[in-house]
Amino acid sequence: MSALDVGQALPRRRMEVLPALTPLLVALVAAPFIGSLSTFVTLTAAGLAMGMMIFTMASGLTLVFGMMDVLNFGHGAFIALGAYAASLVLLPLANWSSADSFWANLAVFILAALAAAVISGAFGFVFERLIVKPVYGQHLKQILATIGGAIIAEQLLYALFGPAQIPLTLPRTFEGSFVFGDAAIEKYRVLATLVGLAVFAGEMLVLNRTRIGLLVRAGVENREMVEALGYRVDRLFVAVFMAGSALAGLGGAMMALYRGQAHGSMGGEFLVLCFIVIIIGGLGSVGGSFIASILVALIANYAGFLVPKLALVSNILAMVVVLLWRPRGLYPVSGR
Amino acid sequence: MSAALTLEGVHTHIGRYHILQGVDFDAPAGRTTMLLGRNGAGKTTTLRTVMGLWRASKGRIALGTTPLQILRASDVARLGVGYAPETMALFSDLSVKENLVLGARSGPLDDARLAWIFSYFPALKTFWLSRAGALSGGQKQMLSIARAIVEPRQLLLIDEPTKGLAPAIVGSLIACLNEIKATGVTILMVEQNFRVAREVGDEVRVMDNGRIVHRGPMAELAADEDLQNRLLGLSLDSHQ
Amino acid sequence: MSILSGDPPRGRALQILLILIVLALAGAPFLFHGAKPLNVAAKTCVMILLVASYDVLLGYAGIVSFAHVMFFGVGAYGVGVMLYALGASWGALLLGLVVAAVLSLALALAIGLFSLRVQSIFFAMVTLAVAYAFNVLASQLSWLTGGEDGRSFKVPGVLQPSFRLVRDKVFGVAITGKILSYYLVFAVVVIAFLVLLRVVNSPFGRVLQAIRENPFRAEALGYRIVFHRTLATCLSALGATLAGALFSLWLRYVGPDTALSFSIQVDVLVMVVVGGMGSLYGAIIGAALFVFAESYLQDVMAGLSQAAADARLPLLPALLHPDRWLLWLGLAFVLAVYFAPSGIVGALKADDAKRS
């Protein structure tokens, strides 16, 4: 019998549940104001889908900041790049998209998603080595350097792809909606939700069941001690950075398909949103980002319906409210 | 067999503060050297510099014949250096098991070694799967030390292990350290508690203002109360 | 020496450069003929004030904020909306200025106090979000702000382009309201700059720098960190508000592009870094360089791009296209961050020290 077959006298600390319930609370509060059930269902489904896409974009950013205290203002560039990368697959293979075959449609979607992730991930590596690495530990310079990097990246995208928006069409299978009585749920939204959930599940698996995930979780708490235990934290960080940018690219591709077009300005637009999400969620916490993404997306959707004028600033208001309640976010990481 | 740790003319600057101002001493191979001194003398800075967490601005540090001052902390660790910092630096959101797994760099946890650790620190077995952050102060200290010794090391750097520990646990710790000593590890330990220092230490080095002001066998210092007062500023009794 | 508050620019090269810039700005209407150069000069003056007030926050107090342009916008819209709504009078102008100042102070206080609640790491991102929100609000309240189109308005009589001060030309230039407007902008910027110089060289300014260097130590020494930081934020906000008011007065127009867009914030960052953080004179150099490049570089690029296209070079025509001038700006900016972190001011000082 191994020394490892031991009891656990103290139960695992029960995860604080209240912060995770906030999206539910928001939904419950909004429901009576919305009135009709079908509208509520549509809005909620839209919110969930959008939340999943935002989560895909933002989860990498929270780990990057959590691990190395790196404020990457260039994160938006990966989002935009992913969208353009998807177009590199979708446009030449347009006949796969328009074909009447589920498998062809699925294949082109998967290829586009892969292209977005791989190309953004590779660019992430270049960005990290060239722009981020020289300014480790210097917050101000990081902010400035990554902003500069973001500007350069966006302009390069325009130089390479042209300044106009690039239209993207959904593969046939994912057009249209599932109709339940009065409620219509767009098929693509279901797909986006599934992809987002898969990303979340994958991240949780890696973080909690693999050695590298263990290192990342430890590094978010105290990277110095991880180094003192004999692990190359800088290499670990590059891997996390690449994964984060790959995910951002995937999120960007999904979002571009959702909107029907890809453009460099997506970068700046979603950067702010990502910041809001990781602040609300708690820097360094993937679970926190997950809840925060859903929260932010639901609020935006409900507000868009109920108080359209406030919709665009609803996220910022949500952030301020959350920070007043929990100054370090919904699920702050210990030791930060 | 473990090697001796030598420091020659080591200077360390933190920002514009000149903390270590020419530290010279050696911690003999296989022996336990206590690093004593008033608060702010530079003891923790010395350990951190040896570990590579802070870069020495001048001087040489060597483990045996291997120079350490140019290495990054992870390389120092890979030479077989275990570190239990003053702040314990546990990963609070990780379980006791996960904390120890991280300490066992070379491979999976060794059952026999674990059993031995559990014999001194039974709480770690009880709370094996619990979050490290939920442990009491004393238990955390145990975990920090356990992590440093979860694998055989060449050199152990231990910073104030008995701080805040109940006397019974201190006894456990002393027994554990004595058994580790028997394996022939070189130990450099910072300790404010002179009784513990006396029981565990073979050699003593006293620091003041970033320099070594006394070096010699522990037995010598333990026998000379006047010397203790002069160097450490307080009588033996108030250390209890 | 007291006009420069005992802090004159050091180094021969720096002094010469500054004198040249100031002289060029002082005599702009007479030295350069035409509308465009005067526009460039006016924008330079405004940017000097905007950047200098930002440097008080960033370079001296060490606070990273992305809400600076918000205050600029408040000043621009305050004056613009008042003049639009109440007609072109000095009273309306003054009222607009006062309202803008009060609003800016309120926002600055709110931001300063909010920073109490959150870690400083959050602060920068929060200011970004707040500025973004403000931007959106301004375009939403189109009944007030004119939305995307902005507001054009008339300025008080003396400043109108049709006004003539004297019938004859002076040094070949007609002294119209435009010239008077320019000198109003110039004079206000000069005074405001000197005031800022006085502030950063006062005990308050020194405490700010102490807080920037080592907040814990400063607190231990008894300085009230929150008070000093909030005051710095308010001062910086007022400077930006004034700059915004001047700019909208000059343009006789206010709109989201000219007063609120985030690209202005990025431009300010570039100017502050390239000019030199922690030195108000850096603001002068950074602003002059930037506005000049922005106005004239694109023409150069157009020519180069055409030449590259004619030579059938791949990719180069797209990279050199005048619309891509931000690309090269971004590159210069990143290089400055790495290799010249103290900006041009720092580089000139270092050169000077080496020579002596």
Side-chain angles (χ1 to χ4, degrees), chain A residues 52-77:
Chain A
M52 290 298 100
M53 286 190 267
I54 296 174
F55 168 71
T56 309
M57 291 184 221
S59 62
L61 190 60
T62 204
L63 284 178
V64 161
F65 184 81
M67 256 200 89
M68 288 302 259
D69 273 349
V70 167
L71 285 158
N72 182 17
F73 277 73
H75 193 73

Side-chain angles (χ1 to χ4, degrees), chain A residues 2 4 6-7 9-10 13 211 214-215 217-218 221-222 224-232 234 334, chain B residues 48 51 53 72 74 77-78 89 91-94 98 101-102 105 111 114 125-128 130-131 147:
Chain A
S2 147
L4 299 175
V6 292
L10 267 185
R13 179 191 66 160
R211 192 166 176 90
L214 183 62
L215 286 171
R217 277 188 295 136
E221 271 200 61
N222 190 336
E224 187 186 73
M225 194 60 212
V226 172
E227 177 99 21
L229 286 172
Y231 304 99
R232 287 287 298 268
D234 57 336
S334 306
Chain B
R48 287 179 63 91
M51 194 64 218
L53 292 172
R72 59 198 313 149
S74 52
R78 283 183 183 273
F91 305 115
S92 311
D93 282 340
L94 273 53
E98 287 171 322
V101 164
L102 281 177
R105 196 175 37 258
D111 282 356
L114 263 187
K125 178 168 174 173
T126 319
F127 300 129
W128 185 237
S130 300
R131 234 184 109 246
R147 190 175 57 184

